[in-house]
Amino acid sequence: MLLRCIKSENSKLKYSYIWLAFFIIPILPAAIGTFNYLGNIEILTNGWYSLWTQHTLFYADFFHGPLIAAYCSYLWRLEHLNGNWNRIMTVPVRRSCIFISKFASVFGMAFLTQLWVGLLFYLSGRLAGLKSPMPSEIIVWLLLGGIGSIAVIGLQLLLSMVIRSFSIPVIIALLGQIAGIYLSSSGRGLCYPYSVLSIGMNSNAMHGLSGASLLAYLTAVCLHAVLFSGIAILLLRVRDVRK
Amino acid sequence: MRKAFQAELQKIKYRKLWLLIIGISIFEFLWHGMTMLRADQTYLLTGYHYLLYSLPLMNALVMPLVLAVLASRIWDIEYKGNTYKLLYTLQSKKSIYYSKAFFGSLCITAFCFLQIITVIVCGRLFHFSDQLPAKHLFYLFITTLVVCLANYYFQQLLSFQYHNQFIALSIGLAGSFVGLFSAFLPGAVKRFIPWSYYTLLSTSGMDWNNETQSMSFYYTSPDLPALLTVSCLTILLLIGSKSIFLRKEV
């Protein structure tokens, strides 16, 4: 049942405009980061790691949240239109399957986004004149970032489900992402879903996650995802649909 | 026209647009309030300078998306209800266009006022040492208003042209990031990017001293050619989007 739901969610993404956002939006932080790196090359002397800090400074702290919010809003959009909420609540599918299938679909897109960001990073590095091989830690940080996006996906799917507007959850994500900069800098990033990605992607490139910090990170991500998904599934079960 | 505007007010009544404008103002107040609380005393010596430098940057990041949402909320109600055909039989296309454009402009003016109030309240709350720069606050009001109006008229063009609001909102989101990007670009290049005018028209600059690791702020005179350019762009977008709307088939 869950696999069928995931398949039906994925079919909504075929030929949709969301792929334009998928391709174009990550190019912006890559361009900004590379320009910033080239403009400050006398200070940023650590090659690939310095370029990584510039890319993730913009991607993880500004772009990622709104992009995930756009994916989530797009997936819930069909339910918000034309009385489709009534239809979806009367189909013989478990409420948890409805939510988890959307979660899986957005996670797939977020993971592909991480791969695209990684490719853009590699191309930017080559264009910026970095001749050495790209460090393998970058791939680990990209993977950890992909896992970290689970925290934001849970929250944004919940927001997009209850707020019947495409754009308001995207604005909440942008403002939340900006506010997350404060929490990250004060050492409380793991408590806040929008800051988790920048921790996972090691945006300050000082030291990667390992041992206890990696465990804390994974635990925080799981807790965020379970909390917001749990609230959303509970709302789907107990709350009546309003037209 | 008055009746058309009243009809717009009724349509917007439960869409909570006021929440968007007030919410953004509160967010900007909280952001700068947190900065002031965590800052040392030297920040408070030049608090107004800092706010006049920081607010245009914040506007460049946030306002393009906010204005896209504002335009989308005002214009897409007709697509959702599929009421364009009906409306055209009840009132002139011109009155529909002007009432929606005027309503959006009113919201933007309210936001610009709230921004000025934010600066004054921050100054009183955190006891800034420097004098309230009335002239530069006036420039901030005018420049933010003109740039936001240009942005809004562009976004409303996208919102009424495309049924799927995702296109308008994606361009708004991209505009936010291009606005942020443009803060790092030289002035000559900024003039060709509409979203960069938030920072281009700022009358507060910042110098960073690498040795002492400190910031110092200074006032500049307003860039009148740039203000004239963006004003002309605003008028062109208003007239251009109106003529496109009048010719639009539904």
Side-chain angles (χ1 to χ4, degrees):
Chain A
M1 175 60 72
L2 180 60
L3 285 174
R4 277 193 214 168
C5 290
I6 293 171
K7 214 172 160 184
S8 71
E9 291 300 331
N10 286 338
S11 68
K12 289 181 199 171
L13 298 173
K14 268 189 193 172
Y15 311 116
S16 86
Y17 292 114
I18 199 77
W19 294 108
L20 280 173
F22 168 85
F23 280 110
I24 293 170
I25 288 180
I27 292 174
L28 296 171
I32 298 171
T34 310
F35 268 101
N36 217 29
Y37 169 75
L38 291 170
N40 296 289
I41 205 158
E42 58 278 356
I43 308 165
L44 301 167
T45 53
N46 211 353
W48 286 103
Y49 295 101
S50 294
L51 183 64
W52 180 252
T53 59
Q54 299 309 300
H55 273 227
T56 51
L57 173 67
F58 294 103
Y59 174 69
D61 288 339
F62 294 106
F63 289 73
H64 177 255
L67 189 57
I68 297 290
Y71 296 160
C72 296
S73 286
Y74 192 83
L75 275 186
W76 275 115
R77 185 173 166 266
L78 193 65
E79 277 75 26
H80 294 324
L81 296 173
N82 301 324
N84 281 334
W85 264 111
N86 291 327
R87 285 201 190 91
I88 203 163
M89 297 304 264
T90 53
V91 294
V93 173
R94 290 167 72 168
R95 304 284 184 263
S96 52
C97 279
I98 296 170
F99 187 85
I100 292 168
S101 58
K102 288 185 188 294
F103 197 110
S105 217
V106 177
F107 177 65
M109 290 188 71
F111 194 77
L112 287 173
T113 307
Q114 290 295 101
L115 293 179
W116 176 226
V117 164
L119 180 63
L120 284 170
F121 175 73
Y122 175 75
L123 291 171
S124 302
R126 289 289 179 229
L127 284 169
L130 293 170
K131 304 242 184 313
S132 56
M134 190 174 85
S136 55
E137 291 134 300
I138 304 290
I139 298 169
V140 174
W141 296 338
L142 281 166
L143 278 170
L144 284 174
I147 293 168
S149 64
I150 288 173
V152 179
I153 291 170
L155 174 59
Q156 287 299 144
L157 274 176
L158 170 62
L159 287 172
S160 297
M161 186 181 88
V162 300
I163 301 172
R164 293 194 181 189
S165 163
F166 188 95
S167 48
I168 304 293
V170 177
I171 288 223
I172 293 172
L174 178 64
L175 298 180
Q177 198 79 67
I178 296 169
I181 297 169
Y182 262 126
L183 283 150
S184 289
S185 61
S186 62
R188 288 186 288 246
L190 287 180
C191 303
Y192 189 62
Y194 294 107
S195 309
V196 166
L197 181 90
S198 63
I199 296 170
M201 290 185 77
N202 196 27
S203 61
N204 58 7
M206 298 275 287
H207 42 76
L209 295 171
S210 62
S213 60
L214 179 62
L215 190 62
Y217 173 77
L218 293 172
T219 308
V221 167
C222 289
L223 282 174
H224 284 303
V226 166
L227 172 69
F228 296 121
S229 303
I231 293 170
I233 293 168
L234 184 68
L235 283 174
L236 279 173
R237 281 189 185 151
V238 306
R239 214 167 66 163
D240 198 4
V241 174
R242 58 182 173 83
K243 200 173 173 332
Chain B
M1 188 59 198
R2 188 171 56 86
K3 281 190 181 169
F5 183 66
Q6 276 173 342
E8 282 309 311
L9 279 178
Q10 277 187 298
K11 286 180 211 170
I12 297 298
K13 203 173 171 186
Y14 296 108
R15 302 211 96 193
K16 299 190 180 71
L17 279 181
W18 58 271
L19 198 59
L20 181 67
I21 300 300
I22 291 173
I24 293 297
S25 304
I26 291 173
F27 176 79
E28 289 195 346
F29 171 72
L30 288 173
W31 174 267
H32 291 104
M34 294 278 288
T35 309
M36 291 301 150
L37 280 173
R38 293 169 69 171
D40 57 32
Q41 284 300 309
T42 48
Y43 257 89
L44 302 181
L45 291 174
T46 53
Y48 288 118
H49 273 90
Y50 166 75
L51 282 180
L52 285 170
Y53 175 77
S54 170
L55 277 169
L57 272 172
M58 182 68 80
N59 287 342
L61 178 61
V62 166
M63 288 314 289
L65 181 60
V66 168
L67 293 170
V69 172
L70 182 70
S72 169
R73 298 292 276 174
I74 291 172
W75 284 89
D76 81 340
I77 194 170
E78 316 301 349
Y79 278 125
K80 281 191 173 161
N82 202 16
T83 52
Y84 269 121
K85 278 194 169 75
L86 175 67
L87 271 184
Y88 290 167
T89 61
L90 297 172
Q91 59 185 113
S92 66
K93 281 186 179 184
K94 235 189 238 184
S95 68
I96 298 170
Y97 178 83
Y98 279 127
S99 56
K100 288 183 185 290
F102 180 66
F103 187 78
S105 308
L106 212 60
C107 292
I108 291 165
T109 311
F111 167 75
C112 295
F113 267 120
L114 284 173
Q115 192 160 77
I116 302 303
I117 291 168
T118 301
V119 174
I120 297 169
V121 167
C122 279
R124 295 277 180 267
L125 215 57
F126 297 104
H127 309 293
F128 292 161
S129 306
D130 51 344
Q131 204 185 3
L132 181 74
K135 190 174 69 169
H136 292 277
L137 280 178
F138 176 71
Y139 292 148
L140 177 70
F141 176 81
I142 294 293
T143 55
T144 308
L145 180 66
V146 173
V147 180
C148 283
L149 284 175
N151 221 328
Y152 172 73
Y153 295 144
F154 174 63
Q155 287 297 151
Q156 76 173 8
L157 168 63
L158 296 172
S159 288
F160 70 65
Q161 194 65 5
Y162 299 106
H163 188 137
N164 191 341
Q165 296 300 301
F166 178 75
I167 297 167
L169 290 164
S170 297
I171 291 173
L173 185 61
S176 277
F177 300 137
V178 170
L180 177 66
F181 178 35
S182 66
F184 300 98
L185 296 175
V189 178
K190 274 186 189 181
R191 281 164 207 278
F192 295 99
I193 303 171
W195 297 282
S196 69
Y197 277 80
Y198 290 104
T199 49
L200 187 65
L201 292 171
S202 170
T203 56
S204 180
M206 189 264 289
D207 277 329
W208 172 254
N209 190 324
N210 219 10
E211 287 159 8
T212 58
Q213 298 279 299
S214 62
M215 288 188 285
S216 61
F217 299 98
Y218 55 90
Y219 286 127
T220 58
S221 50
D223 189 339
L224 290 173
L227 183 60
L228 192 62
T229 308
V230 78
S231 304
C232 293
L233 181 67
T234 306
I235 295 165
L236 269 167
L237 281 167
L238 178 67
I239 297 169
S241 59
K242 186 197 95 177
S243 63
I244 293 170
F245 181 73
L246 294 180
R247 283 171 180 70
K248 186 175 157 56
E249 277 293 323
V250 290

